[in-house]
Amino acid sequence: MKQKIVMKVQMNCEKGRTKAMKIAAVVEGVISVAIEREKSLVVVIGDGVDSVSLAGSLRKKLGSATIESVQEVKAESAEKKYPIICFSQYRQYPMYICSGF
């Protein structure tokens, strides 16, 4: 089950943001990590991530971390649309990329 974890972390400078990214990225099951600077939030998307242990490890290094929300991420549709690439046999004409039909 994919989940989205939003955590409020005390980040005073760029060094704190870098530490938060590194700590969140090495946790098992993490797919992506993002930081919202204005609100000092760390957004982690992953499969089977333990939010309590993640908050504890962020607290150890950064001082303050609280869990704002944990939500389930809905699966994407099974049918993805891929672009159709058309090539020209003549070199002077460019390659065309059309959206899927």
Side-chain angles (χ1 to χ4, degrees), residues 7-69:
M7 305 182 85
K8 186 164 182 84
V9 179
Q10 178 183 358
M11 294 182 281
N12 298 329
C13 60
E14 190 65 35
K15 187 175 181 180
R17 291 184 195 102
T18 305
K19 279 185 183 181
M21 288 282 281
K22 285 182 181 180
I23 292 167
V26 297
V27 174
E28 186 176 339
V30 172
I31 296 170
S32 69
V33 179
I35 290 184
E36 293 183 21
R37 292 183 184 198
E38 294 81 29
K39 299 179 183 178
S40 297
L41 296 176
V42 177
V43 180
V44 178
I45 297 175
D47 190 20
V49 178
D50 186 13
S51 59
V52 177
S53 67
L54 177 60
S57 59
L58 285 170
R59 259 188 226 115
K60 278 184 181 179
K61 294 289 184 178
L62 299 174
S64 172
T66 57
I67 300 171
E68 294 289 317
S69 68

Side-chain angles (χ1 to χ4, degrees), residues 8 20 27 29 31 56 59 67-68 70 85-86 88 91 93 101:
K8 186 164 182 84
V27 174
I31 296 170
R59 259 188 226 115
I67 300 171
E68 294 289 317
V70 178
I85 301 173
C86 305
S88 175
R91 291 186 186 188
Y93 297 111
F101 295 102

